[in-house]
Amino acid sequence: MADSVYSNYPPHLNPAQKEFLVRTIKDWTVQHGLMIRPASTFISKESDPQGVVATSAPVTLFPSPFPKSCFEEAQALQTVYNRLYAAITCDEQWIGDIMEDLIDVDDFISHLWKVHLAVKEEGYAQSLSLGLYRSDYMPHVPSASTPPSLKQVEFNTISSSFGGLSCLVASLHTELLNSPPGHPIAYPSHPLLDSNQPPENTSVETLSAGLAAAHTAYGASKSSPALPTCILFVVQENERNVFDQLALSRQLTKVHKVPVFRLLSSEVFDHTHIPVSNPSRPLIYRPPHADGVEFEVTTVYLRCFYTPTDYKSERDWEARTHLERSAAIKCPTVLNQLAGCKVVQQVLAEDNGPDHLAKFLAGTDPTTIARLRATFAPQHDLSSSGRGRELALNPATAANHVLKPQREGGGNNIYKEAIPEFLRSLPETEWKRWILMELIQPPAEAQNVALRPDGEVLSGHVIGELGIYGTILWDQAGGKVLHNEQGGWLMRTKAKDVNEGGVATGFSSLDSVVLY
Amino acid sequence: MADSVYSNYPPHLNPAQKEFLVRTIKDWTVQHGLMIRPASTFISKESDPQGVVATSAPVTLFPSPFPKSCFEEAQALQTVYNRLYAAITCDEQWIGDIMEDLIDVDDFISHLWKVHLAVKEEGYAQSLSLGLYRSDYMPHVPSASTPPSLKQVEFNTISSSFGGLSCLVASLHTELLNSPPGHPIAYPSHPLLDSNQPPENTSVETLSAGLAAAHTAYGASKSSPALPTCILFVVQENERNVFDQLALSRQLTKVHKVPVFRLLSSEVFDHTHIPVSNPSRPLIYRPPHADGVEFEVTTVYLRCFYTPTDYKSERDWEARTHLERSAAIKCPTVLNQLAGCKVVQQVLAEDNGPDHLAKFLAGTDPTTIARLRATFAPQHDLSSSGRGRELALNPATAANHVLKPQREGGGNNIYKEAIPEFLRSLPETEWKRWILMELIQPPAEAQNVALRPDGEVLSGHVIGELGIYGTILWDQAGGKVLHNEQGGWLMRTKAKDVNEGGVATGFSSLDSVVLY
């Protein structure tokens, strides 16, 4: 079934059709802010010394087909996944046991853990914790005769990106499907496109509502006299994906009427402080552009600090600690970030040993837990006793696997036949930094056409990855959930011979879906 | 009074304030499509061979002060101006008499007039005519003690631009004035900015509603069998100001549900035709991207053909004639375009001779006519008998004047002391191509800061020009008015030592106003 859907999709474009679609999309992206800042390899610093030009985000010309059952299952499970990761984050002991093994070999995880321990020793000033998550999936189609099943690629607990742009891609494809009004001809006719459209995509609304819920839950200023409150987006320098983030701050400002400021991670100490005299440890932000004005930060939203390169020196670790020990609600806390390590997914997926899911989702009906468990792809650590090592070192079995590092961010996976040689190039003591995961087999015939940020148009076989956004606000002390929502999604599509999926790095494209 | 408003405005920016404002505006423009395609002198074709990057439209950092009385007077007079220019266009004889003198010396006007005569001979197939106008003004402040009065700079009857972007600049400044919500600090505090904001700007709604009114008035398809109908935007190649135009087509598509297509003026004959067999002469558009599909064009909206360089060969004149003779409603017709010649403004402004205003605005109350007349700056032709020649050739009086060519488009004016020498370089027979206009004296102390499309930030003394948009749909046969509206405005601000006002050419910036 799946194969027959993909084999003649997308419809063929003659040169005039392609020219029309590409030009229309190039203009639409600018008009609607579906943009990124260009890479310096495309528009050099010399060409644009003031950094004023922008370019189209990478987008597909067509929405991609996606199995309706898988899409709906992913949406249905999101609030359960939210609860699962909140519950894991509440179980510091459990996370600590898992991290223990990694601390010796993974500097990054070790550093994060130390931040947690330091703040724990002083005592956390804020027990509320906010998660803005994205659970990424592929439809798994091992053979033409089996119906597609939903398999999780990864679960992101920090800096889950593209929610600000993914809804725009859905709008773009929806408009093309209906253009011009009454007599749609922007796309060549195709059974999958005729009277079909991408499902509603509320990514901006959902993610912003999560941040707004935290802002409200923070309550009154803890300063005396009381200060106005704000949300602080802590961001990377030279962020090319800035318009994705600004979509959330615009929604917070316009709809929720919440002040939002952006602060470079390198300038945390320049513009924020925690008054020594105030035991509540409010985080005070002083906007550099307004002398003498102070805001109290209710919520720190991290769009940085998720990758080792975000910590250039000890000062950056101190900045992270400074935010962590403040009374601001963190999105995420260090513990919640650690809960997103691949090793956690791998431990959850283990099919022998304790039933972690049942424990963390106590009170959830077993059928739902089983459905969630069914989204796990088989995955293994590389301990000397386990099956993982055997599967990874044998070229025949390695061919069906991907080797993933613990941390977020993309760009570091090792695929298939490259795995044995890669592992042998590392000391065995470092192997535990990696997780071996059985490759998900997405529809083999899927194709699409993509407009790249440099204006090139590429077409060919592709692999699509669906992300579902969810937000949860909970109390670490006791685990009470104050807000738990799912809403909005991301389709990312990459050329099949490209193994990585980080859109901002230019390998893959933002897409949307038509369900079948 | 005016001087005291301008003398301490805008508020001073320290480096951190300036950095914040510039960065915020650079991002805002991208997020909201307040963009243009970059000039090739900024981003070369080699850097961006596919033409995918875009850059911020030139915008001021602050809204400019503008006298409230002048702003309101300009709005109040717009529907009267609409009627005036519709009435002029209905009086072919009157226009012909004025053009007669110019036909020998002005190739462009001569060509336009010939198009009209050719179509007239065959008989016009469409008696409805649509105007999308912009009347441009300055506040005239000859001395500090006189209250500002409203003076018209020019009246645009073809390709009146920037309505799609000017409302965005008003939104930008409004957001900055209110940012962050509840505790505005984006701008330094200033009496003119505190609890003040730009007036509502409905330029997109107004201009699109005009086009939609024409589309509806066209009525049913004149083809057999009936075809679906559409509006056709006929545009220039390599249009850098494309997002201005797309704002109107988006509104037409989304709100009015009218199909809109864009067609290069050079491709009119490739994709449109008038069936010889159909005496109604419907204009049929065949989208190149949809084989076998045909639309009937209800309304031709010209964003080209307003300047001689738009007619590269006889074929372009034939294309204009082809559109003119079709049954599509033209925005504008050739006659309506000719009514926008500077000589018409000059004849209307003549203070001896027949009272043209009273004739064209018959039935309008004399006070309103007097108010409209009060917006005229003194202007003269350069005929041997008139005062104009004397004023232009004397350096002392020339210093208070500008010399304008008949046609639209900007970029061709001669200013002040340069006038006598310029005229003497031309054969006297060509002098009638020019109109001498007394310089309007805008507030001398006005200043602002502008972000240029290449990212440079300039500040200094400026001259601002307010444009008011209006639309009118009327029947040439009898002059009955079917739709007459004003709405939306444009503030353009140029550096004071730059004498020209075409924003797209990079000399001036899009602005908004705070009224005082």
Side-chain angles (χ1 to χ4, degrees), chain A residues 139-157:
Chain A
H140 181 53
V141 194
S143 79
S145 57
T146 44
S149 63
L150 182 73
K151 292 294 174 191
Q152 188 179 56
V153 177
E154 64 177 1
F155 192 88
N156 302 282
T157 61

Side-chain angles (χ1 to χ4, degrees), chain B residues 121-362:
Chain B
E121 188 171 338
E122 183 182 15
Y124 272 88
Q126 176 61 261
S127 71
L128 297 182
S129 183
L130 176 67
L132 260 57
Y133 299 148
R134 200 189 65 223
S135 184
D136 291 338
Y137 304 94
M138 283 184 193
H140 181 53
V141 194
S143 80
S145 58
T146 43
S149 63
L150 183 73
K151 291 295 174 192
Q152 189 179 54
V153 178
E154 64 178 0
F155 191 87
N156 303 281
T157 60
I158 183 166
S159 301
S160 306
S161 57
F162 295 115
L165 300 184
S166 66
C167 53
L168 287 173
V169 187
S171 295
L172 164 66
H173 289 157
T174 303
E175 271 192 47
L176 288 170
L177 282 163
N178 295 288
S179 173
H183 305 275
I185 54 168
Y187 287 129
S189 178
H190 187 280
L192 252 187
L193 297 177
D194 297 345
S195 40
N196 198 350
Q197 354 207 16
E200 185 185 36
N201 192 341
T202 60
S203 48
V204 167
E205 291 85 344
T206 301
L207 295 170
S208 304
L211 288 161
H215 180 78
T216 304
Y218 180 88
S221 165
K222 304 176 196 302
S223 305
S224 167
L227 292 174
T229 55
C230 74
I231 294 178
L232 196 62
F233 283 30
V234 185
V235 301
Q236 294 175 331
E237 216 144 353
N238 303 317
E239 174 65 78
R240 292 177 47 219
N241 191 30
V242 58
F243 307 109
D244 176 39
Q245 302 171 1
L246 289 173
L248 304 189
S249 36
R250 175 170 62 184
Q251 180 81 0
L252 283 166
T253 301
K254 286 208 157 179
V255 175
H256 300 282
K257 308 290 178 201
V258 176
V260 176
F261 295 98
R262 293 172 65 79
L263 178 63
L264 291 179
S265 62
S266 58
E267 296 184 348
V268 163
F269 281 121
D270 298 333
H271 305 302
T272 74
H273 72 283
I274 298 170
V276 180
S277 59
N278 190 332
S280 299
R281 283 185 247 150
L283 183 66
I284 311 302
Y285 172 65
R286 289 183 174 153
H289 59 281
D291 279 346
V293 174
E294 294 191 331
F295 281 79
E296 182 171 327
V297 179
T298 63
T299 310
V300 168
Y301 177 45
L302 297 183
R303 290 297 291 256
C304 63
F305 284 154
Y306 55 84
T307 174
T309 54
D310 282 346
Y311 301 85
K312 293 187 174 50
S313 72
E314 200 49 43
R315 191 175 156 82
D316 293 313
W317 284 107
E318 286 163 13
R320 181 72 192 268
T321 308
H322 167 76
L323 299 176
E324 191 76 3
R325 67 183 286 276
S326 80
I329 299 171
K330 268 72 66 184
C331 178
T333 61
V334 167
L335 274 181
N336 195 204
Q337 178 176 356
L338 286 169
C341 287
K342 299 294 171 299
V343 69
V344 169
Q345 283 175 251
Q346 180 261 315
V347 171
L348 292 176
E350 267 170 13
D351 50 10
N352 44 20
D355 188 342
H356 304 296
L357 285 190
K359 174 189 159 197
F360 289 124
L361 294 172

